[in-house]
Amino acid sequence: MERKSKIRVGVWGAALSAAVACTPSQQSEKAGKELPNVILIHLDDMGYGDLSLTGATGYKTPHIDRMANEGLFFTHYYSPQAVSSASRAGLLTGCYPNRVGFAGALGPTSGIGISDDEVTIAELLKEKGYATAAYGKWHLGVQSQFLPTNHGFDEFYGIPYSNDMWPLHPTGTYPDLPLFENKEIVNPAVSPDDQAQFTTDFTYRTVDFIKKNHDNPFFIYLAHPMPHVPLYVSDKFKGKSEQGLYGDVMMEIDWSVGEIIKTLEETGLDKQTLVIFTSDNGPWLNYGNHAGSTAGYREGKGTTFEGGQRVPCIMMWRGVIPEGGISNSLASGIDILPTLAEITSAPLPEHIIDGVSLLPILKGDVEAKPRETFYYYYRQNSLEAVRHGDWKLVYPHPGRSYEGSQPGNEGKPGKVKEGYPFPGALYDLRRDPGERYDVSETYPYIVEKLEQIANVARQDLGDDLTGNEGSNRRQPGRISGQ
C-alpha cells in the first residue's frame, strides 16, 4: 500500500551514515544488514503484577525476567487506553486512540476499523525494506479492508477480535470465532482445543518467520490472545502452576518468550534484534481467579485508574540497551512507533501523531524524560484524567468499578459497577501510587497547572465530559460503500 504521500523523513539514522559513500546496490545491502529486527510481544489483559519480577506468586516467568535482567524495565509505562481495540490502534499508529477514531472493543459485526489513511508501525518499517508479520489477535476491524495484510503486514495468522467473542461466551451471544491466514478464513469455528494451541502455534509461526528472514530486517507483531478469558493452555503446561489455570497460561507465555529468544541466539540475531514485551491493558478483575493482578494499583481493565493502564513494558536489545536498567520515566505504547522511526531513520507520518521517541532512555539515559504528560481518555471521547510528572488529576466521571463486588470464579464473571460516579481528585503518584489520598486542597496550584494542560488536550482531541469536540480528530475506516 502506497504511503509516500503521507510520510516525512525521520531524524536519526546515525548508524546508517557510513552507507552514504556506497553505490546504490551496496547502500541497500549495507542498510538492510544494519537495521535492527523488531519483535513486539503484546499480551491481552496482563496486569502489572503478573510477572515473577513484579510479585506474581504460584508460578515463575524466568524468560521474561531474563529479558528485564538483560534489558530495560519501564515502571511507568501506560497502554494507550484501557480497552483492547483502542489500545491496539494507539500502539500501531503512535496516536491517542481517540485521535484516530477508536473507542472501546470492536465486535464481530462492527462496520469500522483502522483507516487506510493511518500509517502503522508495519507500514512505517516497510519503507525501510522490512519483512512484516502479525500473529495472534488483531482487533482493528474484521472486514477484509481492515485486516493486517492491508495495513503493512506481509503475513497474518490469527483471530480478528477477542477470543471470548464466540458462542461459548458466559454472558453474551456471538457468532463463531474464525481463524485467518492472511485474508482467508482457514478455520471458521475455533474450538476450545484450537484455543489451547494458540500460544504454541503463534509462537512457532514467529520462530519460523525469524528463520526465514535471517538475512533481511523484519518486524513481528506477536499479539497473544492470552491471558484474556477464556483461558486455555496446551497439555505441556496444564496443571503446572500453583495458581491454577491463570498461572499455567502465564507459564506458557513465558515459554513462548524463551523460544523466541532461543531462536534469536541460535540464528545469531540476538544482538541485532529489539524485543519489546508489554500488554494492551490491565486485568479484567471481575473474573477472579481467571484474571491477573494489578500489584496493588487501583481498579483494572476498563478504567483510567492505574490498574487499568499501567502495565509492564520490557525492552531488550543486546549490545545496545544497557543490561538491568530500570526507567521510572513516563512512557506509553503510543511512543513505540516514533521510537522505532528514530532508530531506523524510517519516515514518520505527515499527519499528527502523539508519541515521542524513547531512544534516549534506550541508549542508557534512564533519567531522560521525553514524555512528561499523559492523557487518560476512555469511553467514546472522555478525558477522565491527566498526568504531568508525578501528579495525576482525575476528573469527576462515571466509570467502571470493581471495588466492593465479589469477583467471579473458574471463568464466570462477577458483578462490576458500571456508571459509578467517581469524584474528582489530585493524586501524588510518587507517594500514593494506589490513588487513595486526594491532595487537591493541599496543592491547588498543581490542580490549576494540570487543568491548563488538560485544556490543551480538550481543544486538540476534544472531551465529552466538557462538551468539547476537539479540532484534530480523524475518522476511523468504514466498510466500503457505507
Side-chain angles (χ1 to χ4, degrees), residues 7-14 16 35-36 119-130 336-349 353:
I7 57 177
R8 52 191 167 86
V9 177
V11 296
W12 190 47
L16 303 180
L35 290 169
V119 178
T120 68
I121 293 174
E123 290 170 311
L124 181 141
L125 293 180
K126 281 191 73 67
E127 292 286 337
K128 303 299 295 185
Y130 277 67
I336 290 178
L337 183 147
T339 301
L340 297 179
E342 188 169 12
I343 288 172
T344 63
S345 194
L348 284 169
I353 67 170

PDB file of all heavy atoms in Angstrom, residues 7-14 16 35-36 119-130 336-349 353:
ATOM      1  N   ILE A   7       4.063  10.565   4.544  1.00  0.00           N
ATOM      2  CA  ILE A   7       5.176  10.397   5.466  1.00  0.00           C
ATOM      3  C   ILE A   7       6.189  11.517   5.303  1.00  0.00           C
ATOM      4  O   ILE A   7       6.226  12.219   4.302  1.00  0.00           O
ATOM      5  CB  ILE A   7       5.879   9.040   5.257  1.00  0.00           C
ATOM      6  CG1 ILE A   7       6.346   8.925   3.803  1.00  0.00           C
ATOM      7  CG2 ILE A   7       4.965   7.896   5.612  1.00  0.00           C
ATOM      8  CD1 ILE A   7       7.109   7.668   3.509  1.00  0.00           C
ATOM      9  N   ARG A   8       6.989  11.679   6.328  1.00  0.00           N
ATOM     10  CA  ARG A   8       8.084  12.632   6.276  1.00  0.00           C
ATOM     11  C   ARG A   8       9.345  11.953   6.775  1.00  0.00           C
ATOM     12  O   ARG A   8       9.293  10.929   7.445  1.00  0.00           O
ATOM     13  CB  ARG A   8       7.781  13.879   7.111  1.00  0.00           C
ATOM     14  CG  ARG A   8       7.348  13.590   8.543  1.00  0.00           C
ATOM     15  CD  ARG A   8       6.823  14.854   9.200  1.00  0.00           C
ATOM     16  NE  ARG A   8       6.129  14.586  10.445  1.00  0.00           N
ATOM     17  CZ  ARG A   8       6.717  14.487  11.626  1.00  0.00           C
ATOM     18  NH1 ARG A   8       8.027  14.622  11.736  1.00  0.00           N
ATOM     19  NH2 ARG A   8       6.007  14.259  12.715  1.00  0.00           N
ATOM     20  N   VAL A   9      10.472  12.522   6.466  1.00  0.00           N
ATOM     21  CA  VAL A   9      11.742  11.858   6.744  1.00  0.00           C
ATOM     22  C   VAL A   9      12.033  11.833   8.229  1.00  0.00           C
ATOM     23  O   VAL A   9      11.812  12.813   8.939  1.00  0.00           O
ATOM     24  CB  VAL A   9      12.880  12.574   5.987  1.00  0.00           C
ATOM     25  CG1 VAL A   9      14.219  11.955   6.316  1.00  0.00           C
ATOM     26  CG2 VAL A   9      12.619  12.512   4.496  1.00  0.00           C
ATOM     27  N   GLY A  10      12.524  10.695   8.726  1.00  0.00           N
ATOM     28  CA  GLY A  10      12.923  10.558  10.127  1.00  0.00           C
ATOM     29  C   GLY A  10      14.164  11.376  10.433  1.00  0.00           C
ATOM     30  O   GLY A  10      14.772  11.977   9.558  1.00  0.00           O
ATOM     31  N   VAL A  11      14.593  11.374  11.710  1.00  0.00           N
ATOM     32  CA  VAL A  11      15.622  12.318  12.137  1.00  0.00           C
ATOM     33  C   VAL A  11      16.898  11.685  12.634  1.00  0.00           C
ATOM     34  O   VAL A  11      17.878  12.390  12.853  1.00  0.00           O
ATOM     35  CB  VAL A  11      15.061  13.213  13.262  1.00  0.00           C
ATOM     36  CG1 VAL A  11      13.923  14.061  12.741  1.00  0.00           C
ATOM     37  CG2 VAL A  11      14.597  12.375  14.439  1.00  0.00           C
ATOM     38  N   TRP A  12      16.934  10.366  12.812  1.00  0.00           N
ATOM     39  CA  TRP A  12      18.152   9.787  13.413  1.00  0.00           C
ATOM     40  C   TRP A  12      19.034   9.225  12.325  1.00  0.00           C
ATOM     41  O   TRP A  12      19.540   9.943  11.498  1.00  0.00           O
ATOM     42  CB  TRP A  12      17.754   8.723  14.446  1.00  0.00           C
ATOM     43  CG  TRP A  12      18.897   8.244  15.294  1.00  0.00           C
ATOM     44  CD1 TRP A  12      19.822   9.002  15.937  1.00  0.00           C
ATOM     45  CD2 TRP A  12      19.233   6.889  15.584  1.00  0.00           C
ATOM     46  NE1 TRP A  12      20.694   8.223  16.622  1.00  0.00           N
ATOM     47  CE2 TRP A  12      20.366   6.914  16.428  1.00  0.00           C
ATOM     48  CE3 TRP A  12      18.692   5.657  15.239  1.00  0.00           C
ATOM     49  CZ2 TRP A  12      20.968   5.752  16.919  1.00  0.00           C
ATOM     50  CZ3 TRP A  12      19.278   4.513  15.730  1.00  0.00           C
ATOM     51  CH2 TRP A  12      20.408   4.573  16.559  1.00  0.00           C
ATOM     52  N   GLY A  13      19.260   7.934  12.284  1.00  0.00           N
ATOM     53  CA  GLY A  13      19.981   7.307  11.202  1.00  0.00           C
ATOM     54  C   GLY A  13      21.480   7.386  11.304  1.00  0.00           C
ATOM     55  O   GLY A  13      22.189   7.160  10.317  1.00  0.00           O
ATOM     56  N   ALA A  14      22.042   7.707  12.472  1.00  0.00           N
ATOM     57  CA  ALA A  14      23.493   7.783  12.595  1.00  0.00           C
ATOM     58  C   ALA A  14      24.156   6.449  12.287  1.00  0.00           C
ATOM     59  O   ALA A  14      25.256   6.403  11.725  1.00  0.00           O
ATOM     60  CB  ALA A  14      23.871   8.228  14.007  1.00  0.00           C
ATOM     61  N   LEU A  16      23.453   4.460  10.077  1.00  0.00           N
ATOM     62  CA  LEU A  16      23.479   4.179   8.648  1.00  0.00           C
ATOM     63  C   LEU A  16      24.320   5.192   7.867  1.00  0.00           C
ATOM     64  O   LEU A  16      24.377   5.136   6.649  1.00  0.00           O
ATOM     65  CB  LEU A  16      22.048   4.188   8.099  1.00  0.00           C
ATOM     66  CG  LEU A  16      21.078   3.222   8.780  1.00  0.00           C
ATOM     67  CD1 LEU A  16      19.706   3.346   8.133  1.00  0.00           C
ATOM     68  CD2 LEU A  16      21.576   1.804   8.694  1.00  0.00           C
ATOM     69  N   LEU A  35      20.051  -2.461   9.913  1.00  0.00           N
ATOM     70  CA  LEU A  35      18.765  -2.181  10.543  1.00  0.00           C
ATOM     71  C   LEU A  35      18.436  -3.269  11.552  1.00  0.00           C
ATOM     72  O   LEU A  35      18.560  -4.452  11.264  1.00  0.00           O
ATOM     73  CB  LEU A  35      17.666  -2.120   9.486  1.00  0.00           C
ATOM     74  CG  LEU A  35      17.695  -0.918   8.540  1.00  0.00           C
ATOM     75  CD1 LEU A  35      16.720  -1.133   7.393  1.00  0.00           C
ATOM     76  CD2 LEU A  35      17.336   0.359   9.290  1.00  0.00           C
ATOM     77  N   PRO A  36      17.986  -2.888  12.749  1.00  0.00           N
ATOM     78  CA  PRO A  36      17.640  -3.911  13.739  1.00  0.00           C
ATOM     79  C   PRO A  36      16.304  -4.572  13.419  1.00  0.00           C
ATOM     80  O   PRO A  36      15.377  -3.938  12.916  1.00  0.00           O
ATOM     81  CB  PRO A  36      17.552  -3.112  15.039  1.00  0.00           C
ATOM     82  CG  PRO A  36      17.119  -1.752  14.598  1.00  0.00           C
ATOM     83  CD  PRO A  36      17.801  -1.519  13.270  1.00  0.00           C
ATOM     84  N   VAL A 119      -0.981   5.369   9.266  1.00  0.00           N
ATOM     85  CA  VAL A 119       0.275   4.669   8.986  1.00  0.00           C
ATOM     86  C   VAL A 119       0.623   3.824  10.202  1.00  0.00           C
ATOM     87  O   VAL A 119       0.821   4.348  11.299  1.00  0.00           O
ATOM     88  CB  VAL A 119       1.423   5.659   8.677  1.00  0.00           C
ATOM     89  CG1 VAL A 119       2.731   4.909   8.446  1.00  0.00           C
ATOM     90  CG2 VAL A 119       1.080   6.510   7.460  1.00  0.00           C
ATOM     91  N   THR A 120       0.676   2.527  10.035  1.00  0.00           N
ATOM     92  CA  THR A 120       1.014   1.625  11.129  1.00  0.00           C
ATOM     93  C   THR A 120       2.526   1.457  11.251  1.00  0.00           C
ATOM     94  O   THR A 120       3.289   1.823  10.345  1.00  0.00           O
ATOM     95  CB  THR A 120       0.388   0.245  10.910  1.00  0.00           C
ATOM     96  OG1 THR A 120       1.017  -0.378   9.778  1.00  0.00           O
ATOM     97  CG2 THR A 120      -1.114   0.346  10.699  1.00  0.00           C
ATOM     98  N   ILE A 121       2.957   0.871  12.354  1.00  0.00           N
ATOM     99  CA  ILE A 121       4.375   0.540  12.515  1.00  0.00           C
ATOM    100  C   ILE A 121       4.853  -0.312  11.352  1.00  0.00           C
ATOM    101  O   ILE A 121       5.956  -0.110  10.821  1.00  0.00           O
ATOM    102  CB  ILE A 121       4.612  -0.195  13.851  1.00  0.00           C
ATOM    103  CG1 ILE A 121       4.361   0.739  15.036  1.00  0.00           C
ATOM    104  CG2 ILE A 121       6.034  -0.749  13.921  1.00  0.00           C
ATOM    105  CD1 ILE A 121       4.443   0.051  16.385  1.00  0.00           C
ATOM    106  N   ALA A 122       4.029  -1.271  10.931  1.00  0.00           N
ATOM    107  CA  ALA A 122       4.433  -2.157   9.832  1.00  0.00           C
ATOM    108  C   ALA A 122       4.644  -1.363   8.548  1.00  0.00           C
ATOM    109  O   ALA A 122       5.630  -1.587   7.816  1.00  0.00           O
ATOM    110  CB  ALA A 122       3.373  -3.228   9.624  1.00  0.00           C
ATOM    111  N   GLU A 123       3.744  -0.442   8.243  1.00  0.00           N
ATOM    112  CA  GLU A 123       3.905   0.364   7.027  1.00  0.00           C
ATOM    113  C   GLU A 123       5.122   1.268   7.130  1.00  0.00           C
ATOM    114  O   GLU A 123       5.861   1.464   6.143  1.00  0.00           O
ATOM    115  CB  GLU A 123       2.640   1.179   6.795  1.00  0.00           C
ATOM    116  CG  GLU A 123       1.462   0.315   6.373  1.00  0.00           C
ATOM    117  CD  GLU A 123       0.151   1.068   6.378  1.00  0.00           C
ATOM    118  OE1 GLU A 123      -0.142   1.747   7.383  1.00  0.00           O
ATOM    119  OE2 GLU A 123      -0.588   0.968   5.386  1.00  0.00           O
ATOM    120  N   LEU A 124       5.336   1.821   8.290  1.00  0.00           N
ATOM    121  CA  LEU A 124       6.499   2.679   8.501  1.00  0.00           C
ATOM    122  C   LEU A 124       7.797   1.913   8.252  1.00  0.00           C
ATOM    123  O   LEU A 124       8.702   2.393   7.567  1.00  0.00           O
ATOM    124  CB  LEU A 124       6.461   3.238   9.923  1.00  0.00           C
ATOM    125  CG  LEU A 124       7.563   4.170  10.374  1.00  0.00           C
ATOM    126  CD1 LEU A 124       6.985   5.271  11.245  1.00  0.00           C
ATOM    127  CD2 LEU A 124       8.624   3.420  11.173  1.00  0.00           C
ATOM    128  N   LEU A 125       7.894   0.692   8.799  1.00  0.00           N
ATOM    129  CA  LEU A 125       9.127  -0.080   8.647  1.00  0.00           C
ATOM    130  C   LEU A 125       9.265  -0.678   7.246  1.00  0.00           C
ATOM    131  O   LEU A 125      10.388  -0.931   6.787  1.00  0.00           O
ATOM    132  CB  LEU A 125       9.190  -1.175   9.709  1.00  0.00           C
ATOM    133  CG  LEU A 125       9.337  -0.664  11.144  1.00  0.00           C
ATOM    134  CD1 LEU A 125       9.382  -1.823  12.136  1.00  0.00           C
ATOM    135  CD2 LEU A 125      10.597   0.201  11.303  1.00  0.00           C
ATOM    136  N   LYS A 126       8.162  -0.901   6.560  1.00  0.00           N
ATOM    137  CA  LYS A 126       8.271  -1.392   5.182  1.00  0.00           C
ATOM    138  C   LYS A 126       8.946  -0.364   4.288  1.00  0.00           C
ATOM    139  O   LYS A 126       9.560  -0.716   3.273  1.00  0.00           O
ATOM    140  CB  LYS A 126       6.889  -1.755   4.634  1.00  0.00           C
ATOM    141  CG  LYS A 126       6.397  -3.110   5.132  1.00  0.00           C
ATOM    142  CD  LYS A 126       5.165  -3.587   4.398  1.00  0.00           C
ATOM    143  CE  LYS A 126       5.508  -4.045   2.990  1.00  0.00           C
ATOM    144  NZ  LYS A 126       6.342  -5.265   3.007  1.00  0.00           N
ATOM    145  N   GLU A 127       8.842   0.911   4.653  1.00  0.00           N
ATOM    146  CA  GLU A 127       9.561   1.945   3.907  1.00  0.00           C
ATOM    147  C   GLU A 127      11.077   1.736   3.971  1.00  0.00           C
ATOM    148  O   GLU A 127      11.821   2.244   3.138  1.00  0.00           O
ATOM    149  CB  GLU A 127       9.205   3.328   4.462  1.00  0.00           C
ATOM    150  CG  GLU A 127       7.775   3.756   4.210  1.00  0.00           C
ATOM    151  CD  GLU A 127       7.529   4.156   2.770  1.00  0.00           C
ATOM    152  OE1 GLU A 127       8.506   4.529   2.078  1.00  0.00           O
ATOM    153  OE2 GLU A 127       6.366   4.080   2.333  1.00  0.00           O
ATOM    154  N   LYS A 128      11.520   0.980   4.979  1.00  0.00           N
ATOM    155  CA  LYS A 128      12.946   0.684   5.128  1.00  0.00           C
ATOM    156  C   LYS A 128      13.284  -0.725   4.673  1.00  0.00           C
ATOM    157  O   LYS A 128      14.371  -1.231   4.928  1.00  0.00           O
ATOM    158  CB  LYS A 128      13.370   0.870   6.591  1.00  0.00           C
ATOM    159  CG  LYS A 128      13.094   2.245   7.158  1.00  0.00           C
ATOM    160  CD  LYS A 128      13.827   3.343   6.402  1.00  0.00           C
ATOM    161  CE  LYS A 128      15.324   3.231   6.522  1.00  0.00           C
ATOM    162  NZ  LYS A 128      16.023   4.382   5.887  1.00  0.00           N
ATOM    163  N   GLY A 129      12.351  -1.397   4.022  1.00  0.00           N
ATOM    164  CA  GLY A 129      12.623  -2.710   3.471  1.00  0.00           C
ATOM    165  C   GLY A 129      12.380  -3.878   4.409  1.00  0.00           C
ATOM    166  O   GLY A 129      12.867  -4.990   4.163  1.00  0.00           O
ATOM    167  N   TYR A 130      11.626  -3.670   5.485  1.00  0.00           N
ATOM    168  CA  TYR A 130      11.364  -4.735   6.449  1.00  0.00           C
ATOM    169  C   TYR A 130      10.349  -5.744   5.912  1.00  0.00           C
ATOM    170  O   TYR A 130       9.364  -5.371   5.250  1.00  0.00           O
ATOM    171  CB  TYR A 130      10.812  -4.161   7.756  1.00  0.00           C
ATOM    172  CG  TYR A 130      11.850  -3.637   8.711  1.00  0.00           C
ATOM    173  CD1 TYR A 130      12.607  -2.508   8.408  1.00  0.00           C
ATOM    174  CD2 TYR A 130      12.072  -4.261   9.928  1.00  0.00           C
ATOM    175  CE1 TYR A 130      13.548  -2.010   9.291  1.00  0.00           C
ATOM    176  CE2 TYR A 130      13.012  -3.773  10.830  1.00  0.00           C
ATOM    177  CZ  TYR A 130      13.753  -2.653  10.497  1.00  0.00           C
ATOM    178  OH  TYR A 130      14.692  -2.162  11.367  1.00  0.00           O
ATOM    179  N   ILE A 336       6.043   3.889  20.931  1.00  0.00           N
ATOM    180  CA  ILE A 336       6.848   2.858  20.273  1.00  0.00           C
ATOM    181  C   ILE A 336       7.065   3.181  18.801  1.00  0.00           C
ATOM    182  O   ILE A 336       8.178   3.036  18.278  1.00  0.00           O
ATOM    183  CB  ILE A 336       6.199   1.476  20.477  1.00  0.00           C
ATOM    184  CG1 ILE A 336       6.346   1.072  21.948  1.00  0.00           C
ATOM    185  CG2 ILE A 336       6.844   0.427  19.570  1.00  0.00           C
ATOM    186  CD1 ILE A 336       5.708  -0.248  22.308  1.00  0.00           C
ATOM    187  N   LEU A 337       6.027   3.653  18.101  1.00  0.00           N
ATOM    188  CA  LEU A 337       6.203   3.978  16.677  1.00  0.00           C
ATOM    189  C   LEU A 337       7.281   5.032  16.458  1.00  0.00           C
ATOM    190  O   LEU A 337       8.203   4.816  15.662  1.00  0.00           O
ATOM    191  CB  LEU A 337       4.864   4.403  16.060  1.00  0.00           C
ATOM    192  CG  LEU A 337       4.893   4.707  14.562  1.00  0.00           C
ATOM    193  CD1 LEU A 337       3.568   4.328  13.899  1.00  0.00           C
ATOM    194  CD2 LEU A 337       5.161   6.198  14.289  1.00  0.00           C
ATOM    195  N   PRO A 338       7.229   6.200  17.116  1.00  0.00           N
ATOM    196  CA  PRO A 338       8.294   7.181  16.882  1.00  0.00           C
ATOM    197  C   PRO A 338       9.662   6.724  17.364  1.00  0.00           C
ATOM    198  O   PRO A 338      10.688   7.146  16.811  1.00  0.00           O
ATOM    199  CB  PRO A 338       7.821   8.425  17.634  1.00  0.00           C
ATOM    200  CG  PRO A 338       6.813   7.938  18.610  1.00  0.00           C
ATOM    201  CD  PRO A 338       6.162   6.753  17.985  1.00  0.00           C
ATOM    202  N   THR A 339       9.706   5.849  18.377  1.00  0.00           N
ATOM    203  CA  THR A 339      10.986   5.305  18.811  1.00  0.00           C
ATOM    204  C   THR A 339      11.603   4.457  17.704  1.00  0.00           C
ATOM    205  O   THR A 339      12.800   4.595  17.389  1.00  0.00           O
ATOM    206  CB  THR A 339      10.809   4.457  20.085  1.00  0.00           C
ATOM    207  OG1 THR A 339      10.251   5.265  21.112  1.00  0.00           O
ATOM    208  CG2 THR A 339      12.137   3.884  20.555  1.00  0.00           C
ATOM    209  N   LEU A 340      10.809   3.598  17.101  1.00  0.00           N
ATOM    210  CA  LEU A 340      11.311   2.759  16.004  1.00  0.00           C
ATOM    211  C   LEU A 340      11.660   3.603  14.786  1.00  0.00           C
ATOM    212  O   LEU A 340      12.613   3.293  14.059  1.00  0.00           O
ATOM    213  CB  LEU A 340      10.274   1.704  15.646  1.00  0.00           C
ATOM    214  CG  LEU A 340       9.935   0.697  16.746  1.00  0.00           C
ATOM    215  CD1 LEU A 340       8.863  -0.279  16.270  1.00  0.00           C
ATOM    216  CD2 LEU A 340      11.181  -0.059  17.197  1.00  0.00           C
ATOM    217  N   ALA A 341      10.899   4.663  14.568  1.00  0.00           N
ATOM    218  CA  ALA A 341      11.219   5.553  13.449  1.00  0.00           C
ATOM    219  C   ALA A 341      12.581   6.188  13.637  1.00  0.00           C
ATOM    220  O   ALA A 341      13.385   6.275  12.697  1.00  0.00           O
ATOM    221  CB  ALA A 341      10.140   6.623  13.316  1.00  0.00           C
ATOM    222  N   GLU A 342      12.885   6.627  14.856  1.00  0.00           N
ATOM    223  CA  GLU A 342      14.184   7.254  15.081  1.00  0.00           C
ATOM    224  C   GLU A 342      15.311   6.240  15.014  1.00  0.00           C
ATOM    225  O   GLU A 342      16.383   6.514  14.475  1.00  0.00           O
ATOM    226  CB  GLU A 342      14.204   7.984  16.423  1.00  0.00           C
ATOM    227  CG  GLU A 342      15.467   8.818  16.594  1.00  0.00           C
ATOM    228  CD  GLU A 342      15.420   9.760  17.775  1.00  0.00           C
ATOM    229  OE1 GLU A 342      14.514   9.642  18.621  1.00  0.00           O
ATOM    230  OE2 GLU A 342      16.323  10.624  17.851  1.00  0.00           O
ATOM    231  N   ILE A 343      15.091   5.058  15.533  1.00  0.00           N
ATOM    232  CA  ILE A 343      16.123   4.018  15.496  1.00  0.00           C
ATOM    233  C   ILE A 343      16.483   3.655  14.062  1.00  0.00           C
ATOM    234  O   ILE A 343      17.666   3.477  13.727  1.00  0.00           O
ATOM    235  CB  ILE A 343      15.643   2.770  16.260  1.00  0.00           C
ATOM    236  CG1 ILE A 343      15.625   3.038  17.765  1.00  0.00           C
ATOM    237  CG2 ILE A 343      16.544   1.565  15.955  1.00  0.00           C
ATOM    238  CD1 ILE A 343      14.987   1.927  18.580  1.00  0.00           C
ATOM    239  N   THR A 344      15.478   3.535  13.208  1.00  0.00           N
ATOM    240  CA  THR A 344      15.703   3.050  11.841  1.00  0.00           C
ATOM    241  C   THR A 344      15.791   4.160  10.807  1.00  0.00           C
ATOM    242  O   THR A 344      16.024   3.871   9.622  1.00  0.00           O
ATOM    243  CB  THR A 344      14.561   2.108  11.431  1.00  0.00           C
ATOM    244  OG1 THR A 344      13.328   2.839  11.418  1.00  0.00           O
ATOM    245  CG2 THR A 344      14.446   0.934  12.388  1.00  0.00           C
ATOM    246  N   SER A 345      15.611   5.405  11.225  1.00  0.00           N
ATOM    247  CA  SER A 345      15.508   6.535  10.310  1.00  0.00           C
ATOM    248  C   SER A 345      14.359   6.333   9.324  1.00  0.00           C
ATOM    249  O   SER A 345      14.425   6.756   8.175  1.00  0.00           O
ATOM    250  CB  SER A 345      16.814   6.770   9.539  1.00  0.00           C
ATOM    251  OG  SER A 345      16.797   8.039   8.925  1.00  0.00           O
ATOM    252  N   ALA A 346      13.319   5.679   9.778  1.00  0.00           N
ATOM    253  CA  ALA A 346      12.134   5.481   8.938  1.00  0.00           C
ATOM    254  C   ALA A 346      11.353   6.778   8.854  1.00  0.00           C
ATOM    255  O   ALA A 346      11.361   7.585   9.785  1.00  0.00           O
ATOM    256  CB  ALA A 346      11.267   4.372   9.523  1.00  0.00           C
ATOM    257  N   PRO A 347      10.641   6.987   7.761  1.00  0.00           N
ATOM    258  CA  PRO A 347       9.839   8.213   7.624  1.00  0.00           C
ATOM    259  C   PRO A 347       8.637   8.199   8.549  1.00  0.00           C
ATOM    260  O   PRO A 347       7.949   7.191   8.689  1.00  0.00           O
ATOM    261  CB  PRO A 347       9.415   8.189   6.153  1.00  0.00           C
ATOM    262  CG  PRO A 347       9.455   6.749   5.777  1.00  0.00           C
ATOM    263  CD  PRO A 347      10.566   6.130   6.568  1.00  0.00           C
ATOM    264  N   LEU A 348       8.379   9.327   9.170  1.00  0.00           N
ATOM    265  CA  LEU A 348       7.220   9.479  10.046  1.00  0.00           C
ATOM    266  C   LEU A 348       5.998   9.915   9.235  1.00  0.00           C
ATOM    267  O   LEU A 348       6.140  10.497   8.158  1.00  0.00           O
ATOM    268  CB  LEU A 348       7.500  10.511  11.125  1.00  0.00           C
ATOM    269  CG  LEU A 348       8.406  10.072  12.280  1.00  0.00           C
ATOM    270  CD1 LEU A 348       8.797  11.285  13.116  1.00  0.00           C
ATOM    271  CD2 LEU A 348       7.715   9.033  13.146  1.00  0.00           C
ATOM    272  N   PRO A 349       4.807   9.659   9.739  1.00  0.00           N
ATOM    273  CA  PRO A 349       3.604  10.148   9.042  1.00  0.00           C
ATOM    274  C   PRO A 349       3.593  11.668   8.959  1.00  0.00           C
ATOM    275  O   PRO A 349       4.123  12.357   9.830  1.00  0.00           O
ATOM    276  CB  PRO A 349       2.460   9.639   9.936  1.00  0.00           C
ATOM    277  CG  PRO A 349       3.033   8.517  10.724  1.00  0.00           C
ATOM    278  CD  PRO A 349       4.474   8.861  10.938  1.00  0.00           C
ATOM    279  N   ILE A 353       0.895  12.813  15.065  1.00  0.00           N
ATOM    280  CA  ILE A 353       0.948  11.675  15.970  1.00  0.00           C
ATOM    281  C   ILE A 353       1.224  12.210  17.372  1.00  0.00           C
ATOM    282  O   ILE A 353       1.653  13.353  17.547  1.00  0.00           O
ATOM    283  CB  ILE A 353       1.997  10.620  15.555  1.00  0.00           C
ATOM    284  CG1 ILE A 353       3.416  11.175  15.683  1.00  0.00           C
ATOM    285  CG2 ILE A 353       1.734  10.087  14.162  1.00  0.00           C
ATOM    286  CD1 ILE A 353       4.503  10.107  15.514  1.00  0.00           C
TER     287      ILE A 353
END
